[in-house]
Amino acid sequence: MAKSYKDAVEPKAGGGFIVERLQCPMCGWIRPVKYGVSQRTGEIREVRFDKMNLEIAPLWRLERLVPRGRASKDARIELIDSKTLAQLPDDIKYQIKIQCQRILQILQR
Ligand SMILES: [Zn+2]
């Protein structure tokens, strides 16, 4: 069982490591394909683009960080307000629509 995301990194002949990374076609964020380890299952977590329930996921969030002393593990984030995909502002929904159309144009060739 993996103990760390580093277990997912392949040692490379000649030194160094090879890390597989994926760039999000929506926002451009680049991150390792395998990241972290699930506390619950011990499995290495992998980037997926199909796991969010877009009917209910709080894509926009207004949050408050509630500190409990310096570097305390009891610090927590409180969700003050949120919006689902359908509730996002029109300009953001427009950006998402345009980018989804570009993605579909390429994938459906
Ligand atoms: Zn993204």
Side-chain angles (χ1 to χ4, degrees), residues 24-29 31 49:
C24 176
M26 291 297 295
C27 70
W29 186 27
R31 54 196 167 145
F49 295 105

Side-chain angles (χ1 to χ4, degrees), residues 5 7 12 14 16 20-21 27-28 32 35 45 47 53 55-56 64 69 78 81 91-92 94 96 101 107:
Y5 76 94
D7 295 348
K12 181 187 168 194
E20 185 181 4
R21 300 202 298 166
C27 70
Y35 65 99
R45 294 187 290 190
V47 172
N53 181 339
E55 295 290 342
I56 61 170
R64 178 193 298 134
E78 290 178 353
D81 194 8
D91 61 329
I92 295 177
Y94 179 75
I96 294 170
Q101 287 167 358
L107 295 181

Side-chain angles (χ1 to χ4, degrees), residues 73-91:
K73 286 180 180 168
D74 296 329
R76 65 182 197 280
I77 295 172
E78 290 178 353
L79 186 64
I80 298 169
D81 194 8
S82 65
K83 288 182 167 67
T84 63
L85 178 62
Q87 297 169 330
L88 290 175
D90 287 344
D91 61 329

Side-chain angles (χ1 to χ4, degrees), residues 16-69:
F17 292 90
I18 295 177
V19 181
E20 185 181 4
R21 300 202 298 166
L22 195 55
Q23 185 166 24
C24 176
M26 291 297 295
C27 70
W29 186 27
I30 302 172
R31 54 196 167 145
V33 170
K34 295 179 172 131
Y35 65 99
V37 177
S38 168
Q39 299 279 4
R40 192 172 47 83
T41 66
E43 299 291 314
I44 292 172
R45 294 187 290 190
E46 293 189 68
V47 172
R48 292 195 63 94
F49 295 105
D50 59 356
K51 65 184 176 187
M52 280 197 307
N53 181 339
L54 294 172
E55 295 290 342
I56 61 170
L59 299 191
W60 176 89
R61 297 156 184 256
L62 189 61
E63 297 173 332
R64 178 193 298 134
L65 178 61
V66 182
R68 290 279 186 271

